[in-house]
Amino acid sequence: MSGVLNPRPAESDVLALAEDWVSQGRSVALATVIETWGSAPRPVGSHLIVDANGRFEGSVSGGCVEGAVVQEAIDVIGVGAPRMLDFGVADETAWRVGLSCGGRIRIYVEKVG
Amino acid sequence: MDLATLHALNETRRGRQAAILVTDLDSGAVRLVRETDQLDDEPLAAHLAERFRTGRSGTVDVEGGGALFLTVSLPPPRLVVIGAVHISQALAPMARIAGFDVTIIDPRTAFATTERFPDVALLPQWPEEAFETIALDPFTALAALTHDPKIDDFALSAALSADCFYVGALGSRKTHAKRLDRLQALGLPGEVTARIRAPIGLAIGAQSPAEIAVSILAEIVGALRTRGTDTLLSR
């Protein structure tokens, strides 16, 4: 007999993992998609977690801006204060990090703990 | 976010409870609101209720400036099907594609075989026994499809008691009238048994087992998306 519940990778797993990481003594930042405009690959409420060494799990853009978010998250872990990030075609940074889908996203990054 | 709030949020998820994390985007302060919390003095009550229903996270502007972000956390919806019957063979894969965790329960081992149900959780047990493994809750839909009162009746009454968001039963109006008599004789009040959707499924003129499965799944999705409101889809 197979398990009663099918395995479903979900946002909850990322949040559970964030707690695990903290309990292992790692410093963790949580990035959350706050708003999207136009075509954006991940819905509002999607999470990415990052540790001080830049290891990450989850996704806020399906890969387009994760690299930049991870850098900012490492900063947030050091500084402590949360930060709002905007990526989009109107923003030069977006070209650089490559939000090729043409959408815009706003991401909130906060330290956990 | 402080660790205590993250821990509380993860606990509600593990317990299959709905919760909303409210984050003040200016100060960074967070608080957790559970669906079971008393919301009488809650300034965001209307926003929270709407978001518990739709499951959508998003921003709420605060009067006088500032913004709050509401991260909605709903348990993944489940579908429990009573009866490893022909309709269930179509309903199980369709429901899984639509995002439901599906479990089939049928004590008749000739029906409940992995050959007939390859990729689905299958409990070849009476519902009385199976419900010890799989707890019914408000994010569970139950469809009773065996036509056999010995199997369906207990499952239906358990689903109503657990406040499942959808309770449906296969059978004609005549069959259902007799079923209501039996359930009421068991002590379930009429206003509770009125929640059973029967004859099961939206009225789309379904004929084949697969078409009936479509009509049942559509009705379940409708119930999920109108959860917590008085809206009953017209039949």
Side-chain angles (χ1 to χ4, degrees):
Chain A
M1 188 175 68
S2 59
V4 170
L5 296 181
N6 306 318
R8 282 165 57 93
E11 297 303 330
S12 59
D13 299 337
V14 177
L15 294 175
L17 195 61
E19 206 180 329
D20 289 349
W21 284 9
V22 172
S23 70
Q24 293 163 13
R26 295 155 75 177
S27 299
V28 179
L30 172 70
T32 305
V33 177
I34 296 295
E35 220 165 337
T36 66
W37 298 264
S39 133
R42 297 283 286 136
V44 169
S46 301
H47 295 303
L48 174 79
I49 57 168
V50 182
D51 77 3
N53 294 323
R55 282 196 51 199
F56 66 93
E57 288 287 343
S59 164
V60 286
S61 75
C64 309
V65 300
E66 264 71 6
V69 174
V70 167
Q71 279 310 315
E72 294 281 350
I74 292 170
D75 263 18
V76 165
I77 288 171
V79 174
R83 192 173 291 183
M84 194 70 81
L85 311 176
D86 282 285
F87 296 100
V89 288
D91 178 346
E92 211 174 294
T93 323
W95 287 113
R96 204 162 64 233
V97 299
L99 196 65
S100 55
C101 50
R104 286 170 58 204
I105 50 177
R106 175 169 291 166
I107 295 169
Y108 180 73
V109 185
E110 65 192 305
K111 188 173 178 177
V112 175
Chain B
M1 173 168 31
D2 61 281
L3 200 54
T5 305
L6 177 63
H7 182 70
L9 174 59
N10 283 331
E11 282 293 301
T12 63
R13 301 223 44 140
R14 277 190 282 273
R16 284 185 59 82
Q17 276 208 337
I20 295 179
L21 182 70
V22 182
T23 305
D24 185 319
L25 293 178
D26 293 328
S27 71
V30 292
R31 66 189 175 97
L32 190 68
V33 182
R34 295 174 185 80
E35 195 173 29
T36 50
D37 288 348
Q38 178 58 251
L39 297 181
D40 282 352
D41 299 324
E42 171 60 61
L44 294 174
H47 289 289
L48 293 168
E50 165 76 6
R51 290 185 186 273
F52 274 126
R53 188 173 65 72
T54 62
R56 284 204 201 98
S57 299
T59 308
V60 175
D61 291 322
V62 181
E63 273 183 58
L68 301 171
F69 185 72
L70 309 188
T71 309
V72 185
S73 162
L74 300 186
R78 286 195 303 214
L79 169 61
V80 172
V81 181
I82 308 300
V85 298
H86 205 162
I87 295 170
S88 318
Q89 286 178 288
L91 181 56
M94 287 180 195
R96 209 166 57 170
I97 291 168
F100 291 85
D101 288 325
V102 181
T103 303
I104 312 250
I105 296 170
D106 197 326
R108 302 167 300 178
T109 46
F111 287 81
T113 67
T114 46
E115 287 77 35
R116 284 162 51 79
F117 292 90
D119 301 305
V120 61
L122 192 61
L123 299 175
Q125 298 171 325
W126 289 89
E128 286 87 333
E129 214 180 332
F131 291 163
E132 288 171 15
T133 311
I134 179 159
L136 303 177
D137 65 29
F139 289 90
T140 302
L142 182 132
L145 305 181
T146 71
H147 269 305
D148 182 342
K150 290 196 301 299
I151 305 173
D152 282 351
D153 281 7
F154 174 82
L156 289 168
S157 84
L160 292 170
S161 303
D163 203 22
C164 287
F165 74 86
Y166 173 91
V167 185
L170 191 70
S172 66
R173 283 189 171 75
K174 207 169 137 191
T175 306
H176 187 57
K178 287 185 201 154
R179 177 186 292 130
L180 290 179
D181 289 344
R182 288 194 308 272
L183 290 173
Q184 280 160 25
L186 290 174
L188 286 169
E191 65 264 26
V192 172
T193 56
R195 287 192 51 224
I196 301 175
R197 315 284 183 108
I200 200 168
L202 295 186
I204 57 171
Q207 292 193 359
S208 68
E211 289 174 3
I212 295 167
V214 169
S215 78
I216 295 171
L217 184 57
E219 191 171 52
I220 291 171
V221 171
L224 179 65
R225 295 304 168 199
T226 54
R227 202 180 66 89
T229 69
D230 293 329
T231 313
L232 278 178
L233 294 173
S234 58
R235 7 186 4 110

